[in-house]
Amino acid sequence: SQQGEEDPQALSIQEGENATMNCSYKTSINNLQWYRQNSGRGLVHLILIRSNEREKHSGRLRVTLDTSKKSSSLLITASRAADTASYFCATDRNRDDKIIFGKGTRLHILP
Amino acid sequence: GAGVSQSPSNKVTEKGKDVELRCDPISGHTALYWYRQSLGQGLEFLIYFQGNSAPDKSGLPSDRFSAERTGGSVSTLTIQRTQQEDSAVYLCASSLVRAETQYFGPGTRLLVL
């Protein structure tokens, strides 16, 4: 069953604007991670946030986690053309050993 | 250091044939994962190894799929009697310990004709 669901499915913004993507999940988690995938390539880890954390920053990335709403958001500030990619959230469920990825948000940065 | 490698990078096979996909994780990583990604879709969790053991095999799509890991290192995903719906990119990842940052390989693109 699908654990993580990202929205929107696709997002197009102008270069320099901020991009926000959301992830919702269904069951309790130990941690949540965000990954980026450039077209046809492997995934790259962006950030990990644990269930007892509410916000983390890494460069232009800001991730929030609301365990009461079972949701997370990824904010990319001052977007660049190189940020064009698909972004996935992945949850580590605390009821089993599975890591569950969502279907992703396709982000397109317009010049 | 070297990242996660997978071989072959591409595999075309005929329906009904068996295929073996290989993953070489980062040295010292105890956890290893296999995922499947269909075109334009998210990643489907297949199996996770802690050392040489797979605690939960319920993510494997059918009994035609099997996986093993030896020496706490290399892993092989085997698909027997391949079907057209098995066509996908198979991704392997490893992490130092379970559920921490995963490092992904480039994937094996499987096409079943």
Side-chain angles (χ1 to χ4, degrees), chain B residues 34-51:
Chain B
W34 283 99
Y35 298 91
R36 178 169 71 175
Q37 186 176 31
S38 300
L39 188 64
Q41 300 296 310
L43 276 70
E44 176 187 2
F45 177 91
L46 298 180
I47 195 168
Y48 146 73
F49 286 91
Q50 179 60 45

Side-chain angles (χ1 to χ4, degrees), chain A residues 30-31 33 35 37 40-45 48 50 88 90 92-93 96-104 106, chain B residues 33 35 37 40-45 48 55-59 91 98-107 109:
Chain A
N30 296 314
N31 66 46
Q33 302 182 49
Y35 287 84
Q37 183 178 38
R41 309 298 296 271
L43 280 77
V44 174
H45 179 263
L48 180 154
R50 303 191 188 280
F88 297 90
D92 171 30
R93 308 191 301 196
D96 58 26
D97 289 321
K98 294 183 171 68
I99 308 295
I100 304 299
F101 280 75
K103 293 183 178 180
R106 295 186 307 280
Chain B
Y33 313 80
Y35 298 91
Q37 186 176 31
Q41 300 296 310
L43 276 70
E44 176 187 2
F45 177 91
Y48 146 73
D56 183 354
K57 299 182 180 179
S58 64
L91 292 162
R98 184 192 165 278
E100 295 294 310
T101 299
Q102 295 181 59
Y103 296 85
F104 279 81
R109 191 176 302 273

Side-chain angles (χ1 to χ4, degrees), chain B residues 12-30:
Chain B
V12 180
T13 190
E14 293 179 349
K15 178 181 173 181
K17 294 287 179 73
D18 298 351
V19 296
E20 271 192 5
L21 312 180
R22 176 186 168 111
C23 173
D24 284 87
I26 293 173
S27 178
H29 279 195
T30 64

Side-chain angles (χ1 to χ4, degrees), chain A:
Chain A
S1 63
Q2 193 68 32
Q3 165 75 333
E5 293 282 349
E6 292 93 338
D7 79 87
Q9 291 186 352
L11 178 63
S12 292
I13 61 172
Q14 295 289 335
E15 191 168 15
E17 293 181 340
N18 297 340
T20 299
M21 289 158 272
N22 302 295
C23 169
S24 60
Y25 57 91
K26 297 176 183 175
T27 62
S28 296
I29 62 172
N30 296 314
N31 66 46
L32 183 147
Q33 302 182 49
W34 284 90
Y35 287 84
R36 183 185 72 222
Q37 183 178 38
N38 291 91
S39 180
R41 309 298 296 271
L43 280 77
V44 174
H45 179 263
L46 296 177
I47 202 162
L48 180 154
I49 187 165
R50 303 191 188 280
S51 60
N52 61 353
E53 298 176 310
R54 292 297 168 257
E55 187 172 311
K56 286 190 83 169
H57 297 255
S58 177
R60 294 183 296 113
L61 306 179
R62 181 172 78 98
V63 167
T64 61
L65 179 64
D66 187 333
T67 53
S68 67
K69 295 181 179 178
K70 292 186 170 60
S71 67
S72 173
S73 67
L74 170 66
L75 168 68
I76 304 174
T77 60
S79 62
R80 305 168 181 169
D83 295 330
T84 293
S86 290
Y87 292 81
F88 297 90
C89 66
T91 51
D92 171 30
R93 308 191 301 196
N94 59 19
R95 73 180 196 198
D96 58 26
D97 289 321
K98 294 183 171 68
I99 308 295
I100 304 299
F101 280 75
K103 293 183 178 180
T105 292
R106 295 186 307 280
L107 175 65
H108 185 56
I109 307 301
L110 304 169

